[in-house]
Amino acid sequence: MPQDQISTPLTKDQAYALVDAVMDRDDLALTASAHENEDTGEWIFEATCESPPDIAAFEALARETLGGDVAFAIDSIDENADWVTHALEGLKPVTAGGFYVYGSHETGALPRGLIPIRIDAAQAFGTGHHETTTGCLEAIERVLKRKKPMRPIDIGTGTGILAIAVAKRRKLPVIASDIDPLAVRITLENARANGVAHMIVAVDAAGVDHTTIRGNAPYDLIIANILAGPLVELSPDIGRIADRGAAIILSGLLNTQAQRIIAAYNRQGMVLKDRVVRKDWTTLILEKA
């Protein structure tokens, strides 16, 4: 499927406001993000779209959201290029939540007192370097200090990093689901590389729509590191599969989106217990009342 990336320089607040507006719609972009150019200090809005993008719709939404005209640049994405690996190769190890996340290119001794997780750059989200993933690792540590979940699930597992983290800490089976079959395959590969293949049950599923997921409910630990829009859509389903007293870790959302997620999950009987804030990103820890 041909894809294009559109972008435009904005202020930080404008960039995040436009990200929120785009992700509230299902018809404009596959992903949207904002980041700072460290060389210039300029903030950039970016969105990945099916080709060709609806520039007129983006311009109209920008006028509505920002109150002025915005010009977007369009760049084609080479579908044969492995951009994920190219961007992530050579990343340094990350320490978060008592875990040490590293790539196979690291040859030094593993640090004592930390649980090692080996994750290489791959065509699936989640190497431990993004604030949403490190926030989840920290949230997992906080939850496991006060709870001993027996039936965990990781929804939207990506590379499987969070499911592997729970499996290594709890030493019990973890269901790991993703809508992308490639992510499911990579999760299984990473589980083998980390010696927990016998504990990771990876399934290809849209949300919770899978017999394995339904058949093993209710869950006492639910992790979903995806995006704000899908998290809102999944809130009734997560409420149904969550056991009483279950810990629910939600991430993939900007600080400005946190209250919207909290409200959606409050309506399903889940209350906020804690949060992890890393830069512009929030990870929520809720509990099923």
Side-chain angles (χ1 to χ4, degrees):
M1 176 179 63
Q3 295 178 358
D4 292 325
Q5 184 178 74
I6 72 166
S7 61
T8 187
L10 296 168
T11 68
K12 177 180 177 180
D13 290 343
Q14 288 175 331
Y16 279 128
L18 192 53
V19 168
D20 287 347
V22 170
M23 296 314 294
D24 278 340
R25 293 179 51 164
D26 298 325
D27 58 334
L28 279 185
L30 302 172
T31 63
S33 63
H35 65 88
E36 184 180 16
N37 184 321
E38 294 182 358
D39 294 330
T40 65
E42 188 176 58
W43 279 81
I44 306 295
F45 164 86
E46 289 182 344
T48 301
C49 316
E50 294 183 10
S51 182
D54 189 346
I55 293 299
F58 272 99
E59 291 172 343
L61 185 62
R63 282 193 296 272
E64 178 185 337
T65 305
L66 306 178
D69 291 331
V70 173
F72 293 94
I74 306 174
D75 293 300
S76 297
I77 296 175
D78 183 355
E79 59 185 312
N80 296 315
D82 189 353
W83 291 110
V84 178
T85 298
H86 178 72
L88 298 178
E89 62 188 2
L91 288 176
K92 295 180 179 180
V94 169
T95 300
F99 299 97
Y100 177 79
V101 185
Y102 68 102
S104 59
H105 60 277
E106 292 293 329
T107 58
L110 298 176
R112 295 183 178 181
L114 297 174
I115 296 175
I117 303 176
R118 198 187 89 184
I119 302 289
D120 285 320
Q123 291 176 320
F125 177 79
T127 62
H129 292 81
H130 195 272
E131 286 81 6
T132 57
T133 310
T134 54
C136 282
L137 291 172
E138 186 174 331
I140 288 169
E141 181 185 42
R142 293 187 190 184
V143 168
L144 296 187
K145 281 182 177 179
R146 58 186 179 86
K147 291 178 178 287
K148 294 183 178 180
M150 301 299 294
R151 300 179 309 282
I153 183 171
D154 177 19
I155 300 171
T157 195
T159 59
I161 181 173
L162 302 177
I164 291 168
V166 174
K168 286 201 163 193
R169 278 289 302 271
R170 291 293 295 131
K171 301 188 185 308
L172 48 72
V174 182
I175 294 177
S177 71
D178 202 286
I179 196 170
D180 184 357
L182 177 60
V184 173
R185 178 173 64 79
I186 290 170
T187 291
L188 292 172
E189 292 174 357
N190 286 331
R192 285 192 291 273
N194 284 275
V196 293
H198 60 295
M199 289 188 277
I200 301 297
V201 181
V203 297
D204 179 0
V208 302
D209 186 19
H210 194 282
T211 54
T212 297
I213 296 175
R214 293 191 297 268
N216 286 276
Y219 298 92
D220 52 7
L221 172 60
I222 300 173
I223 304 168
N225 179 17
I226 41 180
L227 293 169
L231 282 176
V232 171
E233 294 175 8
L234 279 173
S235 58
D237 292 333
I238 288 179
R240 280 191 291 271
I241 67 171
D243 203 355
R244 287 190 177 186
I248 298 98
I249 297 173
L250 306 176
S251 195
L253 53 136
L254 297 164
N255 299 337
T256 55
Q257 298 170 325
Q259 195 54 48
R260 175 188 172 200
I261 303 303
I262 294 168
Y265 282 77
N266 282 169
R267 292 191 290 270
Q268 307 301 327
M270 289 164 275
V271 296
L272 181 68
K273 304 298 289 188
D274 202 356
R275 72 176 76 200
V276 180
V277 178
R278 287 177 174 259
K279 295 185 180 179
D280 296 303
W281 302 88
T282 292
T283 299
L284 302 173
I285 305 173
L286 300 100
E287 188 172 284
K288 178 75 174 287

